Every structure is written in C-alpha cells, then in structure tokens.
Amino acid sequence: MHKGTLALLIHGGTENWSPVRWKRRFDEACHDRRVWLLPDAACDSNEISYAAVWKPHPGELAGFPNLRVIFNLGAGVDALIADATLPKVPLVRVSVGDLTARMTEYIVLHVLMHHRQELYLRASQREKLWAPKYQWPAAAISVGIMGLGTLGSNAARALRYLGFRVSGWSRNPKRLDSVTCFHGNEQLNDFLARTDILVCLLPLTPETRHILNRQLFATLNRSSPMGAPVLINAGRGGLQNEPDILQCLDDGTLGAASLDVFAQEPLPADSAFWTNPKVVLTPHNAADTDPDEISKYVAGQIERFEAGGALENLVDPVRGY
C-alpha cells in the first residue's frame, strides 16, 4: 500500500518547538514515509496526505487538496477550529501518557506550592526573616478541578493520593473514585463554594471563554486555612479575564495565582503579571509536548488509519474539543 506523505507545519519560536528538531524525530518515527518540513518550495502540495501542525497560520492548511487527516501537536485545538478555511477532514488531538504525566506534575507542583506557603517562604528568604507560620494539613484544603478529561482526571487522582479533598466539575456527568463530581451550569456554584484552590483545565470554546472572571472568583470558598482562594490555570489563555484576575489579586478576592497561559503569547514585557508578587508565572510549558513521544504517536495513528483502523482522540468540531 502507498504510504501517504506527511507535512510538518510548526510555528514555535522556543527551543522545544524547533522545527528542525521535530523534523528529525518524525524522520525517525516515519522511517519509510516521506516527511516534508514546510515551507519548502520542492514540496508538491498535491502529494500531502497528512499534516502534523503547531499553530499553523489561518488558511495555511487549505492548500492541500488531498489532505486526509490533521494532527495537532499540542492539546488545544481552539485556534485550528476557528480557521474558517480548515479542510473538512478528521482533526486528531494529542493524548499520550507523557503529556498527561507532565500536566499532573505541574498541577501537583503548584497546588503544593500554594498549600505549603512557598510564596511567603521565598519572600521571607529574601528578607532574611525566620518566621514560619502554622502549616495546615493537606486534608484541610479542597482542590477543585474544572475539566475532568484525561488531564484533569489524572491530576485529581494524584492530589487525592497526597491527601487533599478533591472535587471536579465538567459539562457532562463524570465519575471518579474518591472525587466529588459536579456537572453543568446548575451545579457550578456548589462546586466553586467548596473550592480553596481552583485548577482550570477546560478546553477553550465559546461557552468557556473568559469563564475565569470576578463573578466566578467571588463564589470560591473564603473560610479555608489559606484565607483567600488560589487560581491555577494551565488550560487556555482565553479562559481567563485578565483584568479581573489582576484586580481580584489586588483587592483580596484571590490570594494568589499560578498562570501558564495568557491571551497574548509570548506575554508582553509591559504586562503586570510579570511583576505581581502574588503571581507564579510560567511560559506555557505546563505540559510541553515531547517530540519523541508525539512523533511515535502520530506515526502509529497513520499506520493504523492506512490499515483500515479508526483514528483515536478525534476532535468534535461542534463541541470544540
């Protein structure tokens, strides 16, 4: 059987998104398949059957008339779906154990950071102040996770193992052992009212855009040992109303925030998030995609598809994830 050609369209700008690095990994994983790194004037667009992409420009995928499948190399697909010229072919999102484990590492790290008062302790170190405060146990803190897909569910299990009280919220009903699950708009406030540390891993859709706003923050629990609640957003930048976050940090509606994603990336140098002492900022690397794992994942999906098998982790364009 003829093996379809794969095109790589990668617009990164950081070390982990070096197009040459990704091309090398895909050449190894697809050793008997032609792989083009675009742009390349020698590539015949009619030859392309598959595209593996990261942040393609609007309209960039429309020029491949024989495209059969698009593989998105990151977890978020909102920008792709928003492209009105996107070919009407299956869109596959990344879902590998490596990405899931990395996201769980990030969530656990930042929950523990706020739970163990690391912002206060690091400030004390800078001031040469030896003044430990009372440290409450993990069981005294309720962590609420918005989004109970693969990433959220795995993080919930890890946090439960550490002793935190964990609840979750999703659009549709979910069941997880030892996790109190809420769903739908009618149960959102009940979920928020019990939450001390809010973790957001929702996909970005028209319904979730700017869901992280003042009204939502004001509903979070205010009677925990932590005092003001904490926000951790490792989902999408469009989920957060950034002026609301800054104002809520200033007036005490939020006690602190860990933010990995932003409306504009890279974050502009004049953004107030850089210097806010209540913000732990990371450069959208909570679950940085590993080229080795992802290239093998895509290669395996293509092989199975060409053998007549079904594609995994298909995106529903109506739901947006």
Side-chain angles (χ1 to χ4, degrees), residues 296-308:
K296 294 174 186 175
Y297 165 82
V298 172
Q301 283 257 43
I302 293 175
E303 291 286 345
R304 187 166 53 252
F305 178 70
E306 289 183 340

Side-chain angles (χ1 to χ4, degrees), residues 93-123:
R93 60 180 174 80
V94 165
S95 180
V96 295
D98 176 77
L99 184 148
T100 302
R102 290 176 187 229
M103 181 60 81
T104 294
E105 288 176 0
Y106 182 92
I107 298 305
V108 170
L109 169 67
H110 285 263
V111 167
L112 287 173
M113 185 185 304
H114 296 291
H115 161 59
R116 293 302 301 257
Q117 308 176 77
E118 279 296 300
L119 273 67
Y120 166 75
L121 293 174
R122 298 291 68 78

Side-chain angles (χ1 to χ4, degrees), residues 48-310:
I48 303 302
S49 299
Y50 310 101
V53 305
W54 176 245
K55 296 185 177 180
H57 299 146
E60 196 169 14
L61 287 163
F64 303 112
N66 297 313
L67 193 63
R68 301 178 69 189
V69 185
I70 300 168
F71 297 91
N72 191 54
L73 297 176
V77 296
D78 46 280
L80 272 172
I81 292 176
D83 182 359
T85 69
L86 193 71
K88 306 299 183 184
V89 300
L91 172 59
V92 175
R93 60 180 174 80
V94 165
S95 180
V96 295
D98 176 77
L99 184 148
T100 302
R102 290 176 187 229
M103 181 60 81
T104 294
E105 288 176 0
Y106 182 92
I107 298 305
V108 170
L109 169 67
H110 285 263
V111 167
L112 287 173
M113 185 185 304
H114 296 291
H115 161 59
R116 293 302 301 257
Q117 308 176 77
E118 279 296 300
L119 273 67
Y120 166 75
L121 293 174
R122 298 291 68 78
S124 297
Q125 179 181 351
R126 290 189 295 272
E127 298 168 9
K128 301 179 182 178
L129 178 66
W130 191 278
K133 295 183 178 181
Y134 166 72
Q135 180 60 56
W136 48 84
I141 299 300
S142 176
V143 181
I145 300 178
M146 298 184 79
L148 289 176
T150 301
L151 301 181
S153 297
N154 197 67
R157 295 186 189 99
L159 292 167
R160 278 291 303 130
Y161 177 80
L162 291 173
F164 292 98
R165 291 181 284 117
V166 182
S167 58
W169 179 85
S170 53
R171 287 293 178 187
N172 300 307
K174 296 286 182 69
R175 294 186 63 181
L176 286 175
D177 289 344
S178 302
V179 175
T180 305
C181 295
F182 299 83
H183 69 275
N185 290 334
E186 67 280 2
Q187 295 184 6
L188 178 58
N189 283 349
D190 290 339
F191 161 78
L192 295 170
R194 62 184 285 143
T195 297
D196 305 320
I197 299 177
L198 178 67
V199 176
C200 187
L201 293 172
L202 291 171
L204 180 59
T205 68
E207 291 74 29
T208 61
R209 181 171 293 277
H210 290 173
I211 192 171
L212 300 176
N213 55 41
R214 174 175 286 279
Q215 180 179 353
L216 182 143
F217 302 145
T219 311
L220 295 168
N221 183 37
R222 313 200 64 80
S223 61
S224 79
M226 300 178 64
V230 170
L231 168 66
I232 300 173
N233 184 19
R236 306 295 290 169
L239 296 169
Q240 58 198 29
N241 182 317
E242 295 182 351
D244 277 9
I245 292 175
L246 289 166
Q247 292 167 11
C248 287
L249 288 169
D250 287 344
D251 66 22
T253 303
L254 287 175
S258 287
L259 304 175
D260 185 58
V261 290
F262 300 90
Q264 181 179 344
E265 296 179 0
L267 189 65
D270 61 354
S271 171
F273 285 118
W274 286 111
T275 54
N276 192 304
K278 296 182 178 180
V279 173
V280 180
L281 183 156
T282 52
H284 202 153
N285 71 335
D288 238 353
T289 306
D290 177 64
D292 293 329
E293 289 295 318
I294 299 305
S295 58
K296 294 174 186 175
Y297 165 82
V298 172
Q301 283 257 43
I302 293 175
E303 291 286 345
R304 187 166 53 252
F305 178 70
E306 289 183 340

